Amino acid sequence: DTMIENLQSIGSTNIAFTGGEPMLRVKEMIDAINKYKDNSAFWVLTSGFNFTSENAHALKVAGLTGVVVSIDHHDPYQHDVFRRTEGSFRDALAAVKFGIENDFVTAISTCITQSNATREYLDEFMRFAKDLGVGFVQFLEPQPVGHYAMKNVMLKPEQLKYLEDVYLSYNQEVV
């Protein structure tokens, strides 16, 4: 409670519950949203774990604004391998579905790695996102933490420039 009050006292209009996995604490999120929703919009950033139809509905009733689901690859096998959890792709897709069904602003986030910083991959991922019906896609830059700890994962300057160009082209295209 104190953290949310501190954030609101400095004018934060959007507050996101992140992880670990915030969906392990659904009741606490519902309580916080109910208490503080008049001054901020609330978001959940999730892997999709435990973002069930029932939990999505309860979060909607509480006043949650949106959900951002992490999807590491458009290929189910590649996603599950990265997450080290069989069925995690299925859970992520279910979370997107329940987000859309509950009229949340629904988005996906994905980490753009050295190996998938190509137009071919990005086009395929964006087609996948469009087919899911999400409102937006968030590109994340890899950092040497978590799965990537002690690894050379940083994008090269030319890859960052390329990614920025691709991002701008997606946001400027008329569909």
Side-chain angles (χ1 to χ4, degrees), residues 61-79:
V61 170
L64 186 73
T65 298
V67 59
V68 181
V69 180
S70 297
I71 299 183
D72 300 301
H73 202 286
H74 57 79
D75 175 73
Y77 175 77
Q78 293 293 327
H79 174 91

Side-chain angles (χ1 to χ4, degrees), residues 80-134:
D80 284 2
V81 165
F82 179 80
R83 289 279 161 171
R84 300 179 187 150
T85 305
E86 187 175 336
S88 62
F89 186 81
R90 177 199 61 232
D91 291 347
L93 292 187
V96 168
K97 175 181 181 271
F98 298 141
I100 292 169
E101 286 177 357
N102 282 279
D103 295 319
F104 291 124
V105 177
T106 304
I108 55 177
S109 67
T110 191
C111 187
I112 305 301
T113 63
Q114 291 175 4
S115 64
N116 65 21
T118 67
R119 186 65 188 229
E120 179 182 59
Y121 176 83
L122 295 170
D123 284 347
E124 184 64 29
F125 194 89
M126 294 303 284
R127 278 191 294 276
F128 163 75
K130 184 176 181 181
D131 289 346
L132 287 177
V134 298

